[in-house]
Amino acid sequence: MTSHFEQEYQSLFTEELAVAGGKQVLNDPYLHRLQRRHFYLFDVLPLFGTLAALALLAWRPPGVPELLACFAMWVVSGLGISAGYHRLFAHRSWQTTRGTQTLLAIAGAMAGQGSVISWVAMHRRHHERGDRDGDMHSPNLHGPGKRDKLRGFLHAHFTWMIAHPYPNVLRYAPDLLRERHLVSVGRRYYTWVALGFVLPALACALLERSWGGLLSGFLWGGMVRMFMLAQGIWSLNSFCHLIGRRCFVTRDRSRNIGWMAPLIFGESWHHNHHAFPGSASFGLAWYRIDPGFWFIRLLGALGLAWNIKVPSREQIDARTVTHAASWSADSQ
Ligand SMILES: [Zn+2]
Ligand SMILES: [Zn+2]
């Protein structure tokens, strides 16, 4: 049964979809070329950058500036994805000023996971098709065997990004296309990704007054940070649709993995999120670690966030079932 809360959420963009019409996805060779280039630049290269940073450990172990730059950039780009790209732009679960929207879209771009409008389109498609045909990164569509499961995991975690059907932004993100400041940030996507490398490199070079500082700031604040954050984001597609707990009936096979929550800004309460996609809170309870939501609450306390949507205890309780029941109800 769909709660009133979720009906309200759905109505946010079903009207938009009705007027936009058109193809659901585009399979254009030019788009696939761009996807492959993006994959090698921002999904494969950070792995080699991280290996380079590890290989240089004996010569130049990271000092306090590099570790601080790595952590700070991880937080900035991680909150950009979690509070910005995901909870604000994709799900409209809270509202803020245009200035804060712009800053969050820039911060999210620094994660190297795509420009804001195409990320939102892909993510809305994931919710629409959740673990069924058309879900670009489901790990559950490769067959029942152990090898199929492994193939599914690799696809969901990494290889789906090489080239995939591209959700039509006219259909999936018409609301964002009307926001000129977001279109403008999206157009400069590669500039923001580059800034995510330049800032930590310059900060470490200035603090250490050396070329070595520039290199290690680039590696630790840029490459290692991007690699670590990407692992967390990709785990939501792979692990959080394969292992973990379920407590609601959802059409997809999403799971909650509580121990992962501090490592990925609370996003690993992924099953909660699929059950209540319009909620700004993914933990759905104060005692569950959910830094993405805490950040939104902090902005709220500063007067920079309002209309923060969270389902009531009664709405959550009304949909809660046991782990086993969540499966048996799904298969009906
Ligand atoms: Zn999901
Ligand atoms: Zn979502």
Side-chain angles (χ1 to χ4, degrees):
M1 195 185 76
T2 310
S3 68
H4 172 68
F5 177 80
E6 291 312 312
Q7 280 169 2
E8 194 181 294
Y9 163 76
Q10 291 292 346
S11 69
L12 277 174
F13 55 90
T14 46
E15 268 180 43
E16 309 278 4
L17 298 188
V19 291
K23 287 184 179 175
Q24 292 194 354
V25 292
L26 308 171
N27 268 309
D28 186 82
Y30 173 70
L31 287 175
H32 290 168
R33 260 203 314 280
L34 291 182
Q35 287 168 343
R36 263 192 293 276
R37 187 179 72 179
H38 189 277
F39 174 75
Y40 291 121
L41 272 178
F42 302 134
D43 300 318
V44 175
L45 202 59
L47 166 66
F48 288 101
T50 301
L51 291 175
L54 295 176
L56 291 174
L57 271 180
W59 171 67
R60 192 182 173 88
V64 173
E66 286 86 5
L67 294 177
L68 276 179
C70 184
F71 182 71
M73 291 303 298
W74 177 73
V75 170
V76 167
S77 51
L79 287 176
I81 291 286
S82 176
Y85 271 36
H86 195 190
R87 307 188 202 208
L88 175 64
F89 300 123
H91 294 292
R92 302 291 199 187
S93 64
W94 61 288
Q95 287 176 279
T96 186
T97 62
R98 281 166 66 96
T100 308
Q101 287 179 26
T102 303
L103 287 176
L104 283 170
I106 291 173
M110 288 181 185
Q113 297 292 307
S115 71
V116 60
I117 294 176
S118 59
W119 193 98
V120 164
M122 284 191 267
H123 188 69
R124 286 178 177 171
R125 172 99 175 148
H126 168 62
H127 277 270
E128 183 187 79
R129 301 304 307 160
D131 286 308
R132 285 167 295 141
D133 194 28
D135 181 355
M136 293 156 301
H137 48 65
S138 171
N140 294 305
L141 302 175
H142 292 74
K146 277 190 178 159
R147 282 171 68 103
D148 302 325
K149 288 274 178 211
L150 183 62
R151 277 197 310 132
F153 170 80
L154 287 174
H155 169 82
H157 197 77
F158 196 52
T159 54
W160 75 273
M161 291 176 285
I162 298 173
H164 55 83
Y166 183 73
N168 184 354
V169 291
L170 284 175
R171 177 182 157 86
Y172 286 98
D175 51 332
L176 300 192
L177 288 171
R178 283 199 294 271
E179 303 282 349
R180 288 178 62 176
H181 59 300
L182 296 180
V183 173
S184 168
V185 169
R187 278 210 190 104
R188 292 168 179 79
Y189 168 65
Y190 286 94
T191 306
W192 311 128
V193 182
L195 195 64
F197 287 94
V198 169
L199 283 178
L202 277 183
C204 291
L206 288 174
L207 283 169
E208 298 176 22
R209 296 174 185 281
S210 72
W211 291 105
L214 187 83
L215 174 65
S216 56
F218 171 82
L219 287 177
W220 287 91
M223 291 290 182
V224 178
R225 176 267 310 177
M226 188 178 273
F227 175 75
M228 288 194 313
L229 181 61
Q231 291 306 317
I233 295 168
W234 301 342
S235 295
L236 304 171
N237 300 339
S238 56
F239 291 111
C240 288
H241 277 259
L242 283 172
I243 55 170
R245 304 285 302 173
R246 289 172 58 82
C247 51
F248 303 107
V249 176
T250 61
R251 288 189 306 174
D252 51 74
R253 301 171 71 87
S254 56
R255 316 282 193 113
N256 285 331
I257 305 181
W259 63 265
M260 211 188 268
L263 304 175
I264 190 59
F265 302 89
E267 294 276 319
S268 65
W269 301 112
H270 195 65
H271 173 60
N272 291 354
H273 170 56
H274 269 277
F276 294 95
S279 169
S281 164
F282 288 5
L284 299 179
W286 65 267
Y287 51 84
R288 296 202 187 103
I289 294 173
D290 190 359
F293 180 56
W294 298 345
F295 175 68
I296 295 166
R297 292 281 302 272
L298 174 67
L299 290 181
L302 297 172
L304 287 169
W306 56 89
N307 201 8
I308 303 170
K309 295 174 189 160
V310 178
S312 67
R313 193 71 252 163
E314 292 73 37
Q315 287 170 324
I316 296 167
D317 289 345
R319 290 197 54 189
T320 304
V321 293
T322 63
H323 183 71
S326 79
W327 286 119
S328 56
D330 287 350
S331 56
Q332 280 170 8

